Amino acid sequence: MQPEVVLLNVKSVVKGDFSLQKMQMVPVPEQAYGNFFEGDCYIVITTASLLLTTLNSTGQMDIHYWIGNTSSQDEQGAAAIYVTQMDEFLGGKPIQHREVQGCESPKFQSYFKSGMVYKKGGVESGFRHVDTNVYNILRLLHIKGMKNITATEVNVSWNSFNKGDIFLLDMGKVIIQWNGPESNRREKLKAVLLANDIRDRERGGRAQIAVVEGGCEGDSPELMKIMETVLGKREGPLKEAIPDDRPDLYQTSNIRLYQVSDASGSLVVQEVATQPLTQDLLHSSDCYIVDQGGVSISVWKGKDASPEERRSALSRAVGFIKAKNYPSSTHVEVMCEGGESAMFKQLFKTWKEKGQTRGLGSTYSVGKTAKVDQIKFDVMQLHACPELAAQERMVDDASGEVQVWRIENLELQEVPQNTHGQFYGGDCYLVLYTYMKSNKQQYILYMWLGRHATQDEITACAYQAVNVDNKYNGAPVQVRVTMGKEPRHFLAIFKGKLIIYEGGTGRAGVVNPDPGVRLFQVRGEQEWNTKATEVPARASSLNSNDVFLLKTEQMCYLWYGKGCSGDEREMGKAMADLLSKQDKQTVMESQEPAEFWVALGGKAPYASNKRLQQEKPLHQPRLFECSNQTGRFLMTEIDEFTQEDLDEDDVMLLDTWDEIFLWIGRSANDYETNEAHTSAVEYLNTHPAGRDPGTPIITVKQGFEPPTFTGWFNAWDPHKWSVSVTLYVFSFYTRAIIKATGIPAELLINKGPGELPNEVDPGKKEEYLSDADFELLLGSSRTDFNRLPKWRQNHLKKEAGLF
């Protein structure tokens, strides 16, 4: 199959996901994303443009191929060939990743937010497109993991259970979640999210979910009766917990560099260096293999390497794994010169980007996201040079036709043209972009999903996208856009008028709550890359690198950070005219009037470090979770991290290269705190780049983070933790029985004031639920629920029968 056919046949949104069937690629329906047959191989492509590529925050494109445990050698070989062909078609820009079932990289797992499900068999054993409302199912899923979970289909038997994990007994119309006595709170919540995802995507929302606590099975007699009907009576004790294995720090720091060259007439692989590695060891005329202690293999392709060297890079890596007797699950990534991943650069003592210098006034190569001289796109050049279109994430100059619909009552409602570009976090939208290529109409259909939209609205958005797609005979390329992750072309089509409100709705006749003061962060230098995003109206949201608009009842302030450019200021002015008809006042950083700080609730520290004024740091920051919740102390890296990833039950390690931060969660135990500090020292001493062992290690506590820490997180919310404190105080003074167990959900759901227990406030039923019931019924923790807008809280309460 030619790579052009692969690209043209894709009907994907955010992730292209294909199963190899008889050595051909066939599309996997969107409802089945995250479901993997163990007997198959898959190619997964992150996509944000017509060419099925996306650039993340580090500016890289990614193509993954996934190998099932029981897939054939022919299928594995075909997957590798297809990936190589795609890579060549895209000019060698993507980073290729080899993923093996059960040992997937954090990046790969992060694509499937609700978890991954491993299914027995494969295409020949009955693979079919997953249809909603199909209930003829009986399976048992074994749940593993905390941040990114996987679910493996196991034998439907009590023999498959153990004390430490969670299992989903899926019977089609009923899904029972059984929590092992030694499983922890976060694992239980993640499993609930997976069960909800199966219900919503595979059953059209028409399945019941119930929970059994394995340590208190007697509290759920009816559910246990159902389980025993399917599984039989349990004989003997449960198996002990299964430990989670992770490579140790020494293993991952044992780095060796090998050169792959055909200068002698045949391909030869020879060792050339050990850690610490330096960038000058890599020569453009050859390819190299970096072996990270057998845990991970990276292949680097020089731009002047021979075609044979470049084509055989992936197969050489697989052969290298076999020659070294490494596990077949060893992760492999392949990249070209100039397109190195952040993880690869971390293995070198020094790394300098082409055209990049240190300090303020830095210069950067074309293709980066800020502080770059921008030029108008030449449409013909983009069409003639696909790799340029892929690199810039632009299919044209965004001069095509735009239609926008909002999901209202699960149907499409066209948005008036004068409000195009205004998106509300409580809504979902469809945006159809039509443009000409080779005298033929082409289509891109964006599905924009608000952070506070309901699950019904999100499902309806996907359903309506199918209807629009059918209307145009399957021609549109579908792109799923989550709020805050808008791709460059999406920004471009709104010509610098894209405004994203945190909550509320754009529906006619609906009055959104007026917060009185609103703060917007403006990013971009030209019409085609600018957007204004609402952030918490607090001083801590400011950043010296950007323009901010502070809208009050009397005035609209244009705040210019010291690191913003003249182009950014001009876009800020244009955006201010869109947001407000009030008087405008320009405010330079460090010259703010008193009224400015009063509107923000007082002056407070914000991200103003000069390093943040650079377009990007020389080394990307990395975040690790330090936890012993599985019974062993583990450090797990979190990909594409945000403030939401900071877990108050654990210790987090943030590596910004110049400093190491240890963030201590409020509920982290002493063992985790002590081990985290020891591991931070070991992390530095064993780092493959030969890091300075004197690098500062800074301890910060939850709720007391300095701006040198918060500046690495976008739109830091300093009041996020205060909600937890309030809830803790409330629970402390509540009756002991409610504090310990909560009131049974059946005494609260769909009950009128006269039917409730005496101590229950009818307007606050949710506060009397146990934590487990709260998360099960409302789909979020108490902390996350209390940060939602009031209208969104009431909607969720209505759905759960608690309003």
Side-chain angles (χ1 to χ4, degrees), residues 150-195:
T150 59
T152 305
E153 192 171 336
V154 295
N155 291 331
V156 184
S157 164
W158 283 115
N159 293 330
S160 298
F161 286 69
N162 70 68
K163 296 179 181 178
D165 293 326
I166 295 172
F167 295 81
L168 295 183
L169 181 58
D170 184 358
M171 297 169 285
K173 291 185 177 180
V174 177
I175 301 172
I176 297 179
Q177 175 177 325
W178 183 91
N179 298 329
E182 298 176 14
S183 61
N184 61 61
R185 177 181 61 84
R186 195 186 325 160
E187 290 173 319
K188 295 175 183 179
L189 176 57
K190 285 287 187 177
V192 167
L193 295 178
L194 175 61

Side-chain angles (χ1 to χ4, degrees), residues 217-354:
E217 292 177 339
D219 294 342
S220 308
E222 295 300 322
L223 296 176
M224 286 302 300
K225 187 181 300 184
I226 296 174
M227 292 187 71
E228 290 174 352
T229 299
V230 176
L231 301 169
K233 283 283 187 182
R234 186 169 63 224
E235 303 292 340
L238 290 165
K239 295 178 182 177
E240 294 301 317
I242 301 174
D244 294 319
D245 294 325
R246 294 288 189 278
D248 59 33
L249 289 173
Y250 171 77
Q251 188 179 22
T252 57
S253 65
N254 186 19
I255 309 298
R256 295 179 181 273
L257 178 67
Y258 296 82
Q259 184 184 45
V260 182
S261 175
D262 61 0
S264 62
S266 60
L267 277 174
V268 177
V269 179
Q270 61 179 358
E271 183 177 335
V272 294
T274 59
Q275 69 185 72
L277 304 180
T278 55
Q279 190 178 3
D280 57 10
L281 291 168
L282 303 175
H283 301 288
S284 298
S285 57
D286 291 316
C287 295
Y288 294 84
I289 293 175
V290 179
D291 177 8
Q292 194 170 352
V295 175
S296 178
I297 302 295
S298 299
V299 180
W300 184 88
K301 300 181 295 183
K303 62 182 180 181
D304 298 327
S306 69
E308 176 59 24
E309 287 175 336
R310 295 171 66 87
R311 275 195 298 268
S312 63
L314 188 55
S315 61
R316 281 285 160 183
V318 175
F320 182 88
I321 290 172
K322 293 179 180 178
K324 289 286 187 177
N325 291 319
Y326 290 153
S328 60
S329 59
T330 301
H331 181 256
V332 176
E333 66 174 14
V334 181
M335 68 207 73
C336 67
E337 181 178 358
E340 298 85 357
S341 68
M343 293 295 294
F344 183 80
K345 296 173 188 175
Q346 288 271 350
L347 303 179
F348 291 78
K349 187 175 181 65
T350 58
W351 191 276
K352 185 178 179 181
E353 302 288 356
K354 183 179 180 181

Side-chain angles (χ1 to χ4, degrees), residues 126 194 207-208 252 304 416 433 626 664 688 696 734 759:
L194 175 61
Q208 298 296 316
T252 57
D304 298 327
Y433 179 76
C626 308
I664 311 298
T734 307
E759 66 270 22

Side-chain angles (χ1 to χ4, degrees), residues 478-494:
Q478 298 183 32
V479 182
R480 187 175 185 269
V481 179
T482 57
M483 180 175 170
K485 302 290 185 180
E486 293 79 15
R488 180 178 295 186
H489 187 262
F490 186 86
L491 303 184
I493 63 179
F494 292 105

Side-chain angles (χ1 to χ4, degrees), residues 356-540:
Q356 181 171 299
T357 61
R358 291 180 178 269
L360 298 180
S362 301
T363 60
Y364 302 95
S365 57
V366 174
K368 300 300 189 291
T369 58
K371 305 298 182 288
V372 179
D373 291 335
Q374 308 293 352
I375 59 174
K376 184 175 176 63
F377 281 108
D378 181 340
V379 182
M380 296 308 297
Q381 185 181 10
L382 288 175
H383 292 168
C385 189
E387 61 270 24
L388 177 61
Q391 178 183 351
E392 298 297 337
R393 295 98 89 197
M394 297 288 287
V395 298
D396 70 343
D397 64 352
S399 61
E401 179 184 346
V402 180
Q403 288 178 274
V404 183
W405 297 273
R406 181 171 43 251
I407 302 298
E408 296 187 12
N409 300 320
L410 309 185
E411 300 294 335
L412 289 181
Q413 177 64 47
E414 188 162 5
V415 175
Q417 190 169 4
N418 63 347
T419 59
H420 280 191
Q422 298 181 28
F423 290 82
Y424 291 82
D427 291 329
C428 291
Y429 298 83
L430 285 182
V431 179
L432 180 66
Y433 179 76
T434 306
Y435 67 105
M436 299 296 294
K437 178 182 177 183
S438 302
N439 295 320
K440 183 179 179 182
Q441 284 191 324
Q442 307 284 335
Y443 307 94
I444 302 177
L445 182 60
Y446 293 101
M447 290 175 284
W448 190 92
L449 308 178
R451 185 177 294 118
H452 305 300
T454 67
Q455 185 59 50
D456 286 345
E457 289 168 332
I458 293 173
T459 302
C461 191
Y463 174 78
Q464 294 294 350
V466 173
N467 290 340
V468 174
D469 184 76
N470 291 337
K471 180 180 177 181
Y472 291 90
N473 299 317
V477 172
Q478 298 183 32
V479 182
R480 187 175 185 269
V481 179
T482 57
M483 180 175 170
K485 302 290 185 180
E486 293 79 15
R488 180 178 295 186
H489 187 262
F490 186 86
L491 303 184
I493 63 179
F494 292 105
K495 307 293 190 300
K497 298 179 180 180
L498 180 59
I499 302 172
I500 299 173
Y501 295 91
E502 173 60 27
T505 176
R507 299 183 185 187
V510 177
V511 179
N512 292 313
D514 184 7
V517 177
R518 309 187 93 140
L519 183 64
F520 294 84
Q521 183 176 30
V522 181
R523 284 186 167 173
E525 307 86 9
Q526 303 290 340
E527 284 188 350
W528 54 266
N529 69 354
T530 296
K531 67 176 178 179
T533 305
E534 186 173 8
V535 297
R538 306 183 186 108
S540 57

Side-chain angles (χ1 to χ4, degrees), residues 522-586:
V522 181
R523 284 186 167 173
E525 307 86 9
Q526 303 290 340
E527 284 188 350
W528 54 266
N529 69 354
T530 296
K531 67 176 178 179
T533 305
E534 186 173 8
V535 297
R538 306 183 186 108
S540 57
S541 297
L542 300 174
N543 187 312
S544 291
N545 202 37
D546 293 321
V547 174
F548 286 80
L549 304 178
L550 177 62
K551 186 176 182 295
T552 70
E553 294 179 356
Q554 296 82 25
M555 181 70 66
C556 181
Y557 296 95
L558 284 80
W559 185 87
Y560 296 146
K562 293 179 180 179
C564 67
S565 67
D567 287 338
E568 289 173 321
R569 295 179 186 182
E570 288 301 315
M571 294 311 301
K573 291 178 183 177
M575 196 63 77
D577 290 336
L578 285 173
L579 273 169
S580 175
K581 303 303 180 185
Q582 299 164 310
D583 292 338
K584 313 296 190 303
Q585 180 177 342
T586 299

